[in-house]
């Protein structure tokens, strides 16, 4: 069992199926950079469970900060599922960047606390390669009124 899969098991987590695109885009795009490596761009992942948003609405008026953090963790699992499908988790050399969007009520400024749940999970599962640069942005609308959306960029080794 791979190290990342072992960590997932230890955390009591299971990778979901990589979510399909919800519109006219691809879930991931791998761009070879030479030397058997690629940069993988992961489209925005939303916290859907059984085809429905895990929590919908603005934070903190309709969705609590803790519920939004749960959404961010589910988005992180979806990012990991996309990386598994694109290259395998053992081939992730570095998560380069995470961009997190939080559907925010006016005056809410704790977006970094919400997106920390994603960042923390990536490091828990991938170790040092999970550390990344990041933006945590408050927005007034997200698809299907989900509370959180997260996109990512990673450098990977190509499968042999």
């Amino acid at each position: 069992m791979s190290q990342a899969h072992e960590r997932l098991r230890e955390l009591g987590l299971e990778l979901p199926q990589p979510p399909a695109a919800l519109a006219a885009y691809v879930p991931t795009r791998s761009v070879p950079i030479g030397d058997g490596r690629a940069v993988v761009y992961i489209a925005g992942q939303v916290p859907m469970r059984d085809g429905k948003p895990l929590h919908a609405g603005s934070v903190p008026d309709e969705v609590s900060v803790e519920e939004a953090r749960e959404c961010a963790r589910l988005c992180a699992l979806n990012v990991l599922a996309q990386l598994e499908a694109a290259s395998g988790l053992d081939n992730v050399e570095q998560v380069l960047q995470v961009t997190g969007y939080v559907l925010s009520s006016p005056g809410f400024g704790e977006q970094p606390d919400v997106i920390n749940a994603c960042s923390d999970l990536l490091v828990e599962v991938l170790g040092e390669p999970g550390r990344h640069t990041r933006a945590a942005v408050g927005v007034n609308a997200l698809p299907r009124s989900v509370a959180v959306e997260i996109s990512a960029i990673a450098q990977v080794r190509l499968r042999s």
Side-chain angles (χ1 to χ4, degrees), residues 3-58:
Q3 221 175 14
H5 288 94
E6 179 63 26
R7 288 187 184 128
L8 283 165
R9 189 185 63 71
E10 289 169 1
L11 294 168
L13 299 172
E14 190 173 309
L15 282 184
Q17 288 296 317
L22 298 175
Y25 63 91
V26 293
T28 62
R29 173 71 66 202
S30 294
V31 179
I33 58 172
D35 197 27
R37 292 177 168 79
V39 172
V40 177
Y41 295 84
I42 302 162
Q45 301 296 299
V46 295
M48 303 291 279
R49 192 171 277 158
D50 301 323
K52 297 179 185 173
L54 179 59
H55 298 291
S58 63

Side-chain angles (χ1 to χ4, degrees), residues 99-160:
T99 304
Y101 304 92
V102 179
L103 181 56
S104 300
S105 302
F108 180 69
E110 301 304 316
Q111 293 84 6
D113 185 47
V114 171
I115 303 305
N116 277 345
C118 168
S119 296
D120 292 345
L121 184 62
L122 292 175
V123 172
E124 286 179 86
V125 172
L126 298 172
E128 192 60 32
R131 293 197 187 286
H132 51 270
T133 66
R134 188 183 85 188
V137 182
V139 297
N140 68 356
L142 284 173
R144 299 186 182 186
S145 296
V146 296
V148 176
E149 180 174 359
I150 293 176
S151 64
I153 303 169
Q155 181 176 309
V156 301
R157 288 182 304 280
L158 295 171
R159 290 182 180 169
S160 324

